[in-house]
Amino acid sequence: GAVVSQHPSWVICKSGTSVKIECRSLDFQATTMFWYRQFPKQSLMLMATSNEGSKATYEQGVEKDKFLINHASLTLSTLTVTSAHPEDSSFYICSASPGPISSYEQYFGPGTRLTVT
Amino acid sequence: DAKTTQPPSMDCAEGRAANLPCNHSTISGNEYVYWYRQIHSQGPQYIIHGLKNNETNEMASLIITEDRKSSTLILPHATLRDTAVYYCIVRVDPKTSYDKVIFGPGTSLSVIP
């Protein structure tokens, strides 16, 4: 149980375009979802926290207008990288938490590799 | 900021036990020690967690010192597939409380044939 998926697993896009990454909790309802970014040879950095039906809370230094997060249902959150540039190339990982429904444990997705050319 | 410190890298011979240390000297009484690992280009994988007692599961053992200021993750018989970055994290009990999972640099474990 507690499986989280991400789609796509990898994506290549051209500079200036936008790309959407999906995070789904497959066998549980996720009140809260988290988005992380990881650059090569670095650790995961928390970008934002989203609660279902609410606006996301962004960590300091993360541009909310560039990284649009939508958490419209209890099983789906999306991260849209708008006007992507090569410096946005990174590994994006989501995690999902049932929250008050059962526990605040976080379950991680497999990650999405974004390359901006 | 991460509340833990770990050595940046370690080597271990295949088949031998890998002992990965973690220092968490400022841990609070209600905080658990969690271990995750991340194999290259994959999401983090949960390994084990504990509060104050030693824990063991099919993947690893966790030894927590009596003062809870440090712990050691033990992979009893390391294989090449255990090569990964291992993250030690402290957080409050997720069964009852919300807490962000903040990753430090972790320990890059290389299992050598």
Side-chain angles (χ1 to χ4, degrees):
Chain A
V3 179
V4 177
S5 70
Q6 288 184 236
H7 178 80
S9 54
W10 59 269
V11 58
I12 301 172
C13 71
K14 292 188 176 180
S15 187
T17 63
S18 295
V19 62
K20 181 184 288 187
I21 301 170
E22 293 184 349
C23 176
R24 293 182 185 272
S25 56
L26 299 184
D27 52 2
F28 67 98
Q29 293 185 322
T31 303
T32 306
M33 288 187 172
F34 304 85
W35 287 94
Y36 294 81
R37 179 170 54 182
Q38 185 177 34
F39 293 111
K41 298 192 184 300
Q42 294 187 24
S43 187
L44 288 78
M45 184 190 77
L46 180 64
M47 299 174 67
T49 304
S50 71
N51 290 300
E52 186 261 342
S54 302
K55 288 186 177 180
T57 301
Y58 292 81
E59 296 297 306
Q60 192 172 7
V62 178
E63 300 174 61
K64 62 181 180 181
D65 295 330
K66 181 167 186 62
F67 299 99
L68 301 180
I69 292 171
N70 184 282
H71 190 169
S73 79
L74 286 172
T75 59
L76 173 65
S77 176
T78 60
L79 168 68
T80 301
V81 183
T82 62
S83 187
H85 291 284
E87 57 265 30
D88 298 322
S89 297
S90 189
F91 193 51
Y92 292 87
I93 301 166
C94 74
S95 69
S97 174
I101 299 174
S102 60
S103 85
Y104 296 92
E105 196 63 81
Q106 283 190 40
Y107 304 99
F108 288 86
T112 295
R113 174 80 55 196
L114 169 63
T115 301
V116 184
T117 61
Chain B
D1 290 340
K3 303 176 186 177
T4 63
T5 56
Q6 301 175 249
S9 64
M10 293 181 64
D11 291 340
C12 176
E14 187 178 17
R16 306 295 287 266
N19 297 285
L20 292 90
C22 179
N23 187 302
H24 32 79
S25 58
T26 61
I27 192 170
S28 299
N30 64 343
E31 288 183 317
Y32 284 68
V33 180
Y34 271 70
W35 284 83
Y36 294 87
R37 73 179 182 184
Q38 186 180 25
I39 295 169
H40 182 63
S41 292
Q42 297 183 24
Q45 176 189 22
Y46 165 81
I47 301 174
I48 198 168
H49 75 280
L51 182 62
K52 54 183 178 181
N53 297 321
N54 297 338
E55 302 287 345
T56 295
N57 63 20
E58 64 277 5
M59 290 183 67
S61 294
L62 174 61
I63 308 298
I64 303 174
T65 58
E66 194 167 340
D67 63 7
R68 302 211 320 125
K69 293 185 177 182
S70 64
S71 61
T72 302
L73 178 74
I74 301 173
L75 308 178
H77 306 286
T79 71
L80 298 179
R81 287 175 292 184
D82 292 321
T83 292
V85 179
Y86 288 76
Y87 298 100
C88 170
I89 292 163
V90 296
R91 59 170 302 185
V92 297
D93 183 5
K95 290 185 176 60
T96 58
S97 302
Y98 163 78
D99 199 5
K100 296 178 186 178
V101 176
I102 304 297
F103 289 84
T107 296
S108 178
L109 175 69
S110 297
V111 180
I112 301 168

